């Protein structure tokens, strides 16, 4: 159960991190390949220190990795972090689809003479 809590905390941190537009833009930049802070900052309307702070949040959330390359630090996406988020969203989506199917299977359409049917018919025309 503790592993499940840790996994959920990781997903929560990732979704929180992705709630910021600048961080989503950084992720979009890194989708094209690993980049340095300087390269990322050049593509954004924020300062290099701000990009570094955003990268720290993304790294702490498990979405970004970094490695040293001489005096530079190169950032890339962490596939494991995104896989955890994807898995969580798939669980939510699958649950929603199951609930919709159950609802649809247990709902009878209104009779052809009902006001709801006539309203729907007018919108279909």
């Amino acid at each position: 159960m503790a592993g499940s809590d840790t996994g959920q905390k990781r997903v929560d941190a990732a979704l929180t991190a992705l709630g910021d537009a600048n961080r989503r833009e950084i992720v979009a930049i890194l989708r094209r390949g690993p980049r340095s802070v300087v390269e990322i900052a050049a593509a954004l309307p924020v300062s290099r220190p701000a990009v570094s702070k955003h990268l720290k949040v993304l790294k702490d959330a498990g979405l970004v990795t970094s490695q040293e390359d001489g005096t530079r630090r190169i950032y890339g996406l962490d596939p494991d972090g995104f896989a955890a988020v994807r898995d969580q969203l798939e669980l939510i989506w699958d649950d929603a689809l199951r609930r919709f199917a159950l609802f649809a299977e247990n709902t009878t359409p209104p009779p052809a003479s009902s006001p709801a049917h006539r309203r729907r018919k007018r919108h279909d025309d």
Side-chain angles (χ1 to χ4, degrees):
M1 189 65 140
S4 175
D5 289 344
T6 303
Q8 187 59 50
K9 286 179 182 177
R10 183 177 184 181
V11 170
D12 290 346
L15 292 173
T16 298
L18 292 171
D20 181 87
N22 287 315
R23 291 186 203 123
R24 289 192 304 274
E25 186 61 28
I26 290 170
V27 167
I29 292 166
L30 293 176
R31 283 182 53 220
R32 295 185 289 259
R35 302 277 190 273
S36 69
V37 175
V38 173
E39 293 169 312
I40 296 167
L44 294 172
V46 295
S47 67
R48 198 167 55 214
V51 168
S52 293
K53 288 179 183 179
H54 287 302
L55 285 165
K56 180 180 180 343
V57 171
L58 289 166
K59 187 173 180 180
D60 290 347
L63 296 173
V64 167
T65 61
S66 68
Q67 62 184 33
E68 290 185 21
D69 180 29
T71 59
R72 302 183 319 157
R73 187 166 288 280
I74 305 299
Y75 291 87
L77 296 181
D78 184 342
D80 293 337
F82 282 95
V85 172
R86 184 195 63 235
D87 292 347
Q88 180 67 31
L89 293 174
E90 284 178 356
L91 287 173
I92 293 167
W93 183 247
D94 289 346
D95 186 50
L97 288 176
R98 275 193 299 280
R99 289 173 188 254
F100 178 76
L102 183 62
F103 175 78
E105 291 166 1
N106 291 300
T107 303
T108 56
S113 62
S114 75
H117 182 269
R118 286 192 299 270
R119 279 194 302 272
R120 193 171 37 228
K121 179 81 171 137
R122 265 186 273 151
H123 290 296
D124 291 343
D125 293 340

